[in-house]
Amino acid sequence: CVRACVRACVRACVRACEAYVALLSVTLHPLVMPAQKSDQCCAVLRRLPCRAGDINTVNGVPWPEMPLEPKWYHFRFLNVATSRPFLVKFKNEYGRDVGPEICRVIASDGGYRPNPIAFPPEGLQMGIAERYEVVCNFERYAGRQLYLW
């Protein structure tokens, strides 16, 4: 009885590990999020040293767009704003938060988690200089718009 239980436990562990390794093999998309200062026309001022920017950017692009295919994506969020925390959410075209349904947090500043956890329902609160890695399955949202809020 003990041997059968151990074998079943090992098989379940191997299946979980294989699924986790499959998530780690998804192509990584780093998203560096600074807050930058803008002029009166909302153009980003790149050479102006400032502490509190009024435009949130991703990889230096204000209001970016990223076409997504219906598959898994691996995002590395890095907050490089000097004075602003971020609350990250994934919302559909109706403003409904879908992050907990489609995303899992797999890593943070402390490294990779032993098991992925669900994306927080209240959003992913990111402090200054914090990093999180998230995998999201966009298969159910083919042909629809989602927003990184």
Side-chain angles (χ1 to χ4, degrees), residues 72-83:
W72 283 93
Y73 281 81
H74 179 176
F75 299 108
R76 177 178 293 148
F77 294 102
L78 176 61
N79 180 358
V80 297
T82 56
S83 63

Side-chain angles (χ1 to χ4, degrees), residues 36-37 43-50:
Q36 295 180 324
K37 199 74 172 158
V44 174
L45 301 173
R46 300 201 185 275
R47 293 189 180 93
L48 184 71
C50 63

Side-chain angles (χ1 to χ4, degrees), residues 11 19 28-29 31 58 63 80 96 101 103 118 129 137 140:
R11 278 193 298 266
L28 176 65
H29 298 277
L31 302 175
V58 177
W63 307 286
V80 297
R96 191 172 75 77
E101 299 170 16
C103 298
N137 183 359
R140 291 186 359 216

